[in-house]
Amino acid sequence: MIHKGSSLWADAWHRLAHNRAAIASLGVLTVILLLCFIGPLMPFVKSPTAINMANANSAPSVGHWFGTDQLGRDLFSRVLYGGQVSLLVGLVATGVAVLIGVIYGAVAGYAGGKIDDLMMRFVDILFALPFLVLVILFSLVVDEPAADFTHWVIRVTGISRDHVAPITTLIPLFIAIGAIGWLTIARIVRAQVMSVKKQEFVEAAVSLGLSRSRILFRHILPNVIGPVIIYTTLAVPGIMLLESVLSFLGLGVKPPNSSWGILIKEGADRMEAGGLLLFFPSLFFASTLFALNFLGDGLRDALDPKSAND
Amino acid sequence: MISRVIVRCSFLALASISLALLTSCQRETQVDRATREGILLVGNSSEPKGLDPHIVSGVLESNILRALFEGLVTSDPERDTATPGGAAVEVTPDATATVWIAKLRPNGKWSDGVPVTAQDFAFSYERLLTPDLGAKYAEMLYFLKGAEDFNQGKTKDFSTVGVEVVDNLTLKLTLRGPTPYFKEILKHYTWTGVPRHIVLKHGTIAQRGNPWTRSENIVVNGPYKLKSWRLTDHIEAERNPYYWNASNVVLNGIRFLPISNLYTESRMFRDGQLHMTYGCTPEIVDLMKEENPKELRQELYVGTSFFRCNTTRKPLEDVRVRKALSAVIDRKAICVSIFRGYTPAYAMTPPMGDYLPPHSPEISIEKAQSLLAEAGFPDGEGFPRLKILIASRETAATQAQALQAMWRDRLGIEVEIENKEWNAYITAMQDLDYDIASAGWIGDYLDPLTFLEMWTPGNGNNLTGWDSPAYVKLLKQSFHEADPNRRFELLRQAEAIFVDETPVLLVAWQARNYLVHPSVEGWNPLLLANNPYQFIRLIPRR
């Protein structure tokens, strides 16, 4: 009887589909992503920056589902627009960092010797630079061009500032986080690759005459994907928090635009005035992080080639 | 057996939990302990820029200086207009209120035991007015005859200034004109003396950054002296045994805590870590009104909230632009939803005694739009991207966002908000490195001049680059006017020019909201909030 071969990804998907928590999390994430990115295009979602001071700090109502903040801005739309910022930073910046880190680390680990030495010393040098100081210097340089770019996009495309500004002003942030964020992941991947490449199945692949890149990306990398995914799911919340720090320093989001981190800080400050300003952004932020963690857990189990193929 | 162990364990756990609960209930808060020790815990916003009364200019610094230094005249704990003697037994005017004689106390001493003399005060005034020191508050002394010329370098001879040492304990001050309210002005910390022997020991008279105010060097003449200064942690003042009236000082000490976030400050107050807060956000005002109205103080204040315009930059150099920006601000809405107890400001000077400030003309939104179009920006088209500079304080950010939205909706102008740390914010204003900056001004004495003299060119608190010869001329005339009503009329005319040219965007006249613990007794509402500390009693209350 011929056993039908199954691909790594098909197996993984099969295993993931049986993990209820992971699937539920995937659902939650999808809903949040749709809400944040498609929701604001709906006509009933108000502008997140239009103030109405006569209606400040109001409770949830038909007009304002989550109530309004201290300037009478609609909290529901602020949470959605803020979500765009937080999710973009969390997912895209982390994704970029992981992509660079995995490739860099894998190449260094697999090549070994002098190339490895050279590549990893470069990582060490970058690690030695103080991150926040670098980012502040960086913000001084890129701030003006980024603001000019925002205005250019608004003028050329004619899209509302509310839609453009939260995203374009983030570009310096992506670059800053992407430039530094890949270092840890590169080290992790390199160490994993070095331990995996000595195993018999790699030797078998070498003796079969496979090309180096095929061995590295087909045979070795799937075996290191577990730690990478764990690291990534842990890194996303950290980077979302980093965004709040950097926004405070003037890089990234500027008022009146917002992010979940900023909304939560504002809500926490005004906690005594009723916790709704804190509750709604926190609910979204916490659900996203929970879902990401469960999904990461599920993905690690699913993608691990060593787990039973049942 | 096992079950018995479990029972025993749970008993232990229960006992320890209840013990913990018990102790937490009876836990002595920091305020309780400080009350017992007679030390007042005061929230004081930010780290002070320094303790040199000739260098600083902020309210938070003045809160500390008031404890450490005593001027010729001091403040009364209950009455705004009273002027009890401080370092001087009495200060008496001549018939025209132009020449004033200060008789110093024979028992006045610095905190190192050296007597306080008239020479110390003469030296202080010379120091503050020396151009090289670059004191931002030098104009407080322009009341002295010849002070302005000396401060602006027109003469190097200090004897031309109206300060004369008659003998060790007698100081004769000659003013630029009749000033019946001069004793009010003498209460301000710029008029306090600094110890000549200490300042000269650590540097020269005009040396900026003279280390004499470091905690190990500083010598003072007030009811308290500096005990310790830990950066961003606290500044503590303790009794000064050499103070002339030391036996009547009730409070043992004061600890000033630099807590820049008002929300954090209120939380610390509610947690029993502070006797008194620096301020109070609208949310906390509402909450305390419901929960604990006794601890909430809402008092009148002579202060104005406004935004400075950098009138040296395009397009803000155009008065039409400034008028348009000012006209579309919905002051009433801001006062209601961002502040508590504030009233919309239509002039720089809040109504004060007999002085009625001029009323700025109402400009409709349509008129504002056409003004902006006249200036070359129809519907905000082509308007440069301006930045609103704010210091990282809560209400400033909310205010700036309100302005941002109003200008966008009504004028089609986009502005950005730039947040800076307090010291960087001050520096940017001093360097005129800003477009629009949030600001507040608290009166230094109870006379409209305290809100008007700062807008003369070259004044250390102008910071807008605004310069109006007609304005300066009217102010100068008022200096020589003896009749109070005619003087007020001159000031009103000057202020009308100021309001019309709009170098600042006026927002609101302030009220003072803050929290005071019930154990504090003898802290009375004063318009200038310059309460002396030494008479405060701390009475333990649960």
Side-chain angles (χ1 to χ4, degrees):
Chain A
M1 201 166 156
I2 302 163
H3 183 77
K4 189 170 169 283
S6 60
S7 80
L8 172 75
W9 300 105
D11 278 351
W13 174 247
H14 182 72
R15 280 193 290 260
L16 188 69
H18 282 277
N19 187 335
R20 270 192 217 156
I23 289 299
S25 301
L26 197 63
V28 170
L29 270 182
T30 317
V31 169
I32 291 178
L33 279 170
L34 284 177
L35 263 178
C36 291
F37 287 96
I38 309 295
L41 303 176
M42 299 293 142
F44 57 83
V45 175
K46 299 181 173 56
S47 159
T49 55
I51 63 169
N52 174 13
M53 301 222 278
N55 191 25
N57 291 319
S58 67
S61 62
V62 183
H64 303 281
W65 295 354
F66 289 178
T68 58
D69 72 357
Q70 65 279 4
L71 285 172
R73 294 174 295 200
D74 182 49
L75 186 62
F76 178 65
S77 65
R78 283 183 77 72
V79 168
L80 297 195
Y81 280 89
Q84 292 185 357
V85 170
S86 290
L87 289 169
L88 271 178
V89 171
L91 301 177
V92 177
T94 318
V96 171
V98 165
L99 193 72
I100 301 174
V102 166
I103 295 173
Y104 193 92
V107 170
Y110 189 64
K114 278 210 179 110
I115 298 175
D116 178 36
D117 263 354
L118 216 68
M119 289 176 82
M120 294 322 284
R121 287 310 77 73
F122 180 63
V123 169
D124 292 343
I125 291 169
L126 285 186
F127 248 122
L129 301 174
F131 178 60
L132 272 184
V133 177
L134 262 190
V135 167
I136 292 167
L137 283 177
F138 184 74
S139 77
L140 287 176
V141 182
V142 237
D143 213 27
E144 278 302 310
D148 288 336
F149 179 66
T150 309
H151 278 255
W152 181 80
V153 172
I154 293 170
R155 217 181 39 243
V156 171
T157 60
I159 304 173
S160 146
R161 188 183 176 80
D162 287 342
H163 292 285
V164 177
I167 297 168
T168 50
T169 45
L170 282 183
I171 294 169
L173 205 64
F174 289 150
I175 302 174
I177 294 175
I180 308 289
W182 59 272
L183 299 175
T184 312
I185 196 83
R187 279 186 173 174
I188 293 173
V189 170
R190 169 183 169 267
Q192 290 288 320
V193 168
M194 284 174 77
S195 77
V196 171
K197 78 171 178 188
K198 295 198 186 83
Q199 291 189 12
E200 290 86 349
F201 73 92
V202 178
E203 281 172 23
V206 173
S207 60
L208 280 171
L210 296 182
S211 76
R212 277 183 169 202
S213 60
R214 194 176 161 81
I215 296 171
L216 183 54
F217 291 106
R218 265 312 270 181
H219 294 265
I220 297 181
L221 272 190
N223 284 285
V224 305
I225 215 87
V228 170
I229 283 173
I230 297 168
Y231 176 80
T232 310
T233 50
L234 288 178
V236 170
I239 282 179
M240 282 181 170
L241 287 178
L242 189 63
E243 175 268 318
S244 320
V245 175
L246 296 181
S247 292
F248 181 76
L249 290 174
L251 180 73
V253 200
K254 291 206 177 76
N257 299 319
S258 200
S259 71
W260 284 344
I262 296 173
L263 287 175
I264 289 172
K265 190 197 170 284
E266 285 181 0
D269 275 346
R270 293 173 172 78
M271 204 160 60
E272 281 85 356
L276 289 179
L277 285 179
L278 174 63
F279 174 75
F280 287 113
S282 309
L283 180 74
F284 273 70
F285 192 59
S287 331
T288 307
L289 296 191
F290 255 122
L292 274 173
N293 267 315
F294 279 124
L295 186 65
D297 227 30
L299 277 176
R300 186 205 54 209
D301 290 345
L303 283 172
D304 189 355
K306 280 169 269 185
S307 66
N309 189 0
D310 51 4
Chain B
M1 275 305 277
I2 291 171
S3 64
R4 209 179 278 169
V5 170
I6 292 173
V7 167
R8 217 177 271 166
C9 282
S10 49
F11 257 120
L12 258 174
L14 255 180
S16 56
I17 288 169
S18 49
L19 194 74
L21 277 177
L22 213 67
T23 47
S24 74
C25 287
Q26 293 183 338
R27 167 181 76 111
E28 192 188 43
T29 65
Q30 288 181 40
V31 159
D32 294 339
R33 203 174 80 207
T35 303
R36 196 159 42 76
E37 292 168 350
I39 291 174
L40 187 72
L41 305 176
V42 185
N44 202 33
S45 185
S46 306
E47 187 65 27
K49 280 201 102 173
L51 289 182
D52 191 328
H54 294 164
I55 302 290
V56 301
S57 61
V59 172
L60 67 105
E61 286 95 356
S62 84
N63 283 345
I64 304 171
L65 292 176
R66 207 161 64 238
L68 301 179
F69 292 92
E70 190 174 67
L72 297 169
V73 166
T74 184
S75 317
D76 185 89
E78 285 172 32
R79 286 165 305 148
D80 277 302
T81 47
T83 49
V89 186
E90 52 177 9
V91 183
T92 41
D94 68 349
T96 61
T98 311
V99 180
W100 294 69
I101 305 282
K103 280 269 177 213
L104 267 64
R105 289 183 193 277
N107 57 341
K109 285 199 175 72
W110 293 103
S111 55
D112 57 354
V114 175
V116 176
T117 61
Q119 284 90 342
D120 283 319
F121 279 87
F123 168 82
S124 301
Y125 302 157
E126 181 176 355
R127 177 169 186 254
L128 185 63
L129 288 170
T130 302
D132 290 349
L133 188 72
K136 293 286 165 211
Y137 241 140
E139 55 280 351
M140 274 300 290
L141 265 65
Y142 283 5
F143 288 97
L144 291 167
K145 188 193 79 177
E148 187 167 1
D149 285 347
F150 181 79
N151 183 237
Q152 292 178 354
K154 288 181 190 150
T155 170
K156 294 218 177 303
D157 184 7
F158 187 67
S159 65
T160 59
V161 181
V163 179
E164 190 190 329
V165 177
V166 179
D167 61 52
N168 275 352
L169 294 176
T170 314
L171 191 68
K172 189 171 142 194
L173 301 172
T174 312
L175 307 186
R176 63 185 171 192
T179 315
Y181 54 97
F182 182 57
K183 277 172 125 183
E184 281 293 322
I185 289 151
L186 275 180
K187 290 188 204 167
H188 193 257
Y189 62 79
T190 44
W191 287 88
T192 58
V194 296
R196 185 168 63 139
H197 60 290
I198 298 296
V199 175
L200 293 179
K201 186 178 149 194
H202 295 287
T204 60
I205 180 164
Q207 181 190 349
R208 229 184 140 83
N210 183 325
W212 78 274
T213 50
R214 290 217 191 124
S215 54
E216 65 273 22
N217 301 337
I218 189 166
V219 165
V220 296
N221 72 331
Y224 299 94
K225 59 178 185 170
L226 191 66
K227 183 183 177 195
S228 62
W229 182 357
R230 288 239 311 270
L231 224 59
T232 72
D233 186 76
H234 74 266
I235 287 183
E236 185 162 347
E238 61 179 353
R239 279 168 176 277
N240 174 6
Y242 285 104
Y243 180 57
W244 65 271
N245 198 11
S247 57
N248 288 326
V249 171
V250 182
L251 193 68
N252 284 332
I254 312 148
R255 201 174 298 146
F256 299 94
L257 302 151
I259 309 152
S260 51
N261 186 320
L262 286 178
Y263 296 102
T264 311
E265 192 190 38
S266 304
R267 232 159 266 159
M268 285 174 75
F269 176 87
R270 279 150 48 92
D271 189 42
Q273 297 184 53
L274 287 175
H275 277 117
M276 202 177 286
T277 66
Y278 185 79
C280 196
T281 60
E283 291 86 0
I284 302 292
V285 171
D286 295 346
L287 178 82
M288 292 300 278
K289 259 187 195 159
E290 250 172 53
E291 249 184 21
N292 205 342
K294 264 193 241 153
E295 295 183 359
L296 173 70
R297 299 277 188 108
Q298 290 194 282
E299 294 165 5
L300 288 176
Y301 203 21
V302 279
T304 307
S305 287
F306 56 92
F307 284 79
R308 280 191 174 88
C309 291
N310 185 347
T311 60
T312 62
R313 276 194 186 173
K314 276 187 180 172
L316 293 168
E317 58 173 16
D318 190 332
V319 64
R320 291 171 298 192
V321 172
R322 300 198 298 262
K323 273 188 180 168
L325 290 179
S326 170
V328 298
I329 299 173
D330 186 348
R331 296 174 172 81
K332 224 174 256 166
I334 290 180
C335 286
V336 169
S337 60
I338 302 181
F339 298 123
R340 291 293 177 271
Y342 284 39
T343 46
Y346 49 80
M348 183 66 204
T349 316
M352 191 192 282
D354 294 331
Y355 180 78
L356 277 177
H359 206 300
S360 60
E362 296 280 345
I363 300 177
S364 67
I365 293 175
E366 293 74 34
K367 182 87 204 330
Q369 287 163 342
S370 67
L371 276 172
L372 197 67
E374 275 172 44
F377 310 105
D379 298 324
E381 202 74 36
F383 198 80
R385 212 165 57 229
L386 297 184
K387 281 185 180 159
I388 306 182
L389 174 69
I390 58 170
S392 19
R393 305 230 162 133
E394 300 68 25
T395 45
T398 323
Q399 245 189 103
Q401 291 185 47
L403 260 56
Q404 193 181 36
M406 289 168 186
W407 289 339
R408 185 178 54 184
D409 294 348
R410 296 168 182 182
L411 295 177
I413 291 174
E414 287 291 348
V415 293
E416 281 168 24
I417 294 172
E418 190 180 28
N419 194 348
K420 280 193 173 157
E421 179 270 335
W422 181 251
N423 283 330
Y425 156 85
I426 297 276
T427 313
M429 287 209 292
Q430 287 171 351
D431 297 344
L432 281 177
D433 181 20
Y434 73 95
D435 301 319
I436 296 170
S438 76
W441 185 256
I442 312 300
D444 290 315
Y445 47 90
L446 287 179
D447 187 87
L449 198 59
T450 184
F451 285 92
L452 299 178
E453 191 164 19
M454 59 193 284
W455 306 111
T456 52
N459 187 299
N461 289 308
N462 182 331
L463 309 176
T464 61
W466 185 68
D467 177 0
S468 160
Y471 181 81
V472 174
K473 200 176 148 218
L474 282 166
L475 281 194
K476 285 244 163 82
Q477 277 178 23
S478 82
F479 298 158
H480 303 290
E481 181 57 66
D483 178 58
N485 288 328
R486 279 208 298 267
R487 182 172 161 268
F488 277 177
E489 185 48 43
L490 287 169
L491 291 177
R492 193 165 18 241
Q493 285 171 19
E495 186 162 4
I497 295 176
F498 176 82
V499 169
D500 184 56
E501 295 226 345
T502 330
V504 304
L505 315 172
L506 296 160
V507 177
W509 286 324
Q510 302 185 358
R512 197 158 168 255
N513 301 313
Y514 62 109
L515 305 173
V516 177
H517 194 267
S519 64
V520 179
E521 212 165 77
W523 183 273
N524 301 299
L526 293 182
L527 278 174
L528 294 171
N530 52 358
N531 306 53
Y533 297 102
Q534 61 263 40
F535 309 113
I536 293 170
R537 264 169 218 288
L538 295 176
I539 293 156
R541 292 220 165 93
R542 280 248 49 119

